[in-house]
């Protein structure tokens, strides 16, 4: 099943977007990650993250985000699609 | 017959979007589900749900939503199309 | 001849969009029906209906709408196209 | 030569859009007619008509419109294109 | 070389758009002409004309416009492209 | 390397857009030139020029513009892309 | 892995956009660079840079920018995608 999650994330200034994206790409089944900065505060950044892949689990993604000190603020949209 | 329903749903905070989408994907004939959060209140979330598939029945979808404690607030659009 | 009608319809709360769309799909030559809710009043709903098909007759569509207690309020657009 | 005319037309309430479109489709060379209602007055309707076809003559279209009691108000755009 | 000119033209009420477009199509190399009415005054019409073709000369187009009593008001855009 | 330059140019009323475009097309490697008039003043015209081609040099383009009495006002955007 | 970085950069007036783009294209794996001027101040220019390529490293890009006297102001978006 093709899955897409659109997430709002709160991230401390470190790690950078670069490392965060690479770490999410390492999750089994993920084939695309795009991260956009929504707002920069003194100690944190609000991010829109779009993760696409096959049979992704939101729990696993949330755990990986936690290891990067990122908090899942909200899930804005989910898209599930049967594979052809 | 290809069918698309655009629904407005009222959902308690649990279950999450993730589980709701997976459950709707299990309905016979469904091949795409996308769920977008419209408004978050203290105890509920208003959702726009788009369900696509073959020979879908709105009654069956409403029943499945009820088992997830989700109420069908309104049907915004329906699209029916003959298969090629 | 490929034909498309864009209609404004006044519908009582019953039948639902689901049944209305299925009934219009049963008209000879129709291959796509999309129905969008424009406004909901206490007893009626204003609908935008787009019907596509081959050699459709507006009279026949109006008759079928009448059997569903739906009144044709106006014809907003018609598109006729020669088949390839 | 492929030709497209975008016309502004004044039409009495009868004939309907349906019959007007069918009549224009009968003109030699026409392969697409789309008619959109711009404004409805008590006795007339202002229409945007787009007619496409091969080697169309504006004079012939104007004559056919006259037989339907429709007056050509203005020509908004013309597109001529060599056939491949 | 593929060439496109976007011109602003001042035209008396006669000739009509129809005849003007046909006359421009007769210029050697022209393969598409589209004419849009920008403003209608008492005695003249302001037109946006888009002419596409191969190795077109603006001088020749201006001369043909003059024979139709049309004045070139301004050249808004030119596009030149090497042929494949 | 495929190159695109988006330039702001100041041009006296002569030469015309037509000749300016032809002259830029003669530069080695250029395969598309589009010129749009931004503002017309008494003695000059401000132009947006988009030049596309293979291995273009901004210096060479600026020199050619100078021979046409055109001044490079600013470089708004550059796009470089590896050839497939 | 296909990578895209959208960067905000502060650049002194020299080097020009042309040279900056060529220098970034020389980085291993880069296959597209587009640079757009956002704001021009007396001594600096704010730029939006979009760099695409295979297995790009933000650190390497930042170093190359530093050799051109350009400071990375912020990373606006990163996109990572598995190669087919």
């Amino acid at each position: 099943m093709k899955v897409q999650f659109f997430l709002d994330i709160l991230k401390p200034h470190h790690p950078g977007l670069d490392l965060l994206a690479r770490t999410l790409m390492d999750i089994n089944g993920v084939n695309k990650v795009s991260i956009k900065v929504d707002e920069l505060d003194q100690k944190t950044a609000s991010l829109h993250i779009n993760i696409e892949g096959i049979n992704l689990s939101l729990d696993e993604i949330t755990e990986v985000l936690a290891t990067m000190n990122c908090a899942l603020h909200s899930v804005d949209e989910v898209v599930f699609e049967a594979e052809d």
Side-chain angles (χ1 to χ4, degrees), chain A:
Chain A
M1 206 146 45
K2 287 187 272 181
V3 183
Q4 253 183 299
F5 292 115
F6 297 82
L7 310 173
D8 270 4
I9 301 289
L10 211 63
K11 186 187 75 67
H13 284 183
H14 299 279
L17 296 193
D18 190 19
L19 179 56
L20 179 54
R22 282 177 208 281
T23 308
L24 292 168
M25 285 296 287
D26 285 342
I27 297 175
N28 200 20
V30 172
N31 47 43
K32 185 169 183 186
V33 171
S34 89
I35 308 180
K36 211 168 181 166
V37 177
D38 181 42
E39 237 186 275
L40 274 177
D41 291 315
Q42 265 199 308
K43 293 192 175 166
T44 57
S46 304
L47 310 176
H48 295 302
I49 299 187
N50 178 4
I51 306 186
E52 294 179 33
I54 304 297
N55 295 327
L56 305 183
S57 138
L58 188 53
D59 283 345
E60 188 177 354
I61 293 166
T62 310
E63 278 170 34
V64 171
L65 286 168
T67 66
M68 305 293 282
N69 297 320
C70 293
L72 175 59
H73 183 256
S74 64
V75 180
D76 291 342
E77 191 177 351
V78 303
V79 180
F80 280 68
E81 196 172 356
E83 291 175 87
D84 302 323

